[in-house]
């Protein structure tokens, strides 16, 4: 593992997250930069890009499951099983 570097965090975090391993950051000489994703400003443009066929958001989906298997699917994803990177739940199956 690298002895120094920068970690970038963007997006939305769960309000229940109340701690972070500050000691690990200091011991590894890491810099953390973070901020909330401005999703409300970006969504209209992203919809246009997807509608124009420039971007296919489904390309990142690694697993598709029906709602009948939602509990098992969540457990597989939560356990970080190989191949379970981005999961799409299909209500039609």
């Amino acid at each position: 593992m690298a002895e120094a570097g920068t970690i970038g965090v963007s997006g939305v975090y769960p309000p229940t997250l109340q701690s972070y391993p500050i000691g690990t950051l200091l011991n590894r000489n890491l810099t953390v930069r973070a901020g909330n994703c401005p999703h409300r400003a970006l969504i209209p443009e992203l919809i246009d890009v997807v509608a124009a066929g420039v971007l296919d958001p489904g390309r990142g989906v690694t697993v598709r499951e029906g709602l009948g298997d939602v509990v098992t699917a969540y457990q597989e994803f939560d356990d970080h099983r190989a191949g379970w990177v981005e999961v799409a739940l299909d209500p039609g199956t």
Side-chain angles (χ1 to χ4, degrees), residues 3-87:
E3 293 297 319
T6 301
I7 298 171
V9 182
S10 64
V12 179
Y13 71 95
T16 55
L17 181 62
Q18 298 295 317
S19 64
Y20 200 81
I22 193 75
T24 301
L25 294 174
L26 293 171
N27 289 335
R28 294 191 177 160
N29 196 27
L30 296 175
T31 300
V32 177
R33 300 200 37 117
N36 284 324
C37 174
H39 60 280
R40 287 191 175 107
L42 298 174
I43 291 296
E45 181 179 349
L46 290 173
I47 289 173
D48 291 343
V49 169
V50 171
V54 175
L55 175 69
D56 176 10
R59 288 186 55 210
V61 174
T62 59
V63 177
R64 296 180 189 276
E65 289 289 331
L67 289 182
D69 299 324
V70 69
V71 174
T72 302
Y74 180 83
Q75 188 63 51
E76 297 286 330
F77 179 77
D78 194 46
D79 289 342
H80 303 283
R81 300 289 166 94
W84 288 75
V85 179
E86 191 67 40
V87 180

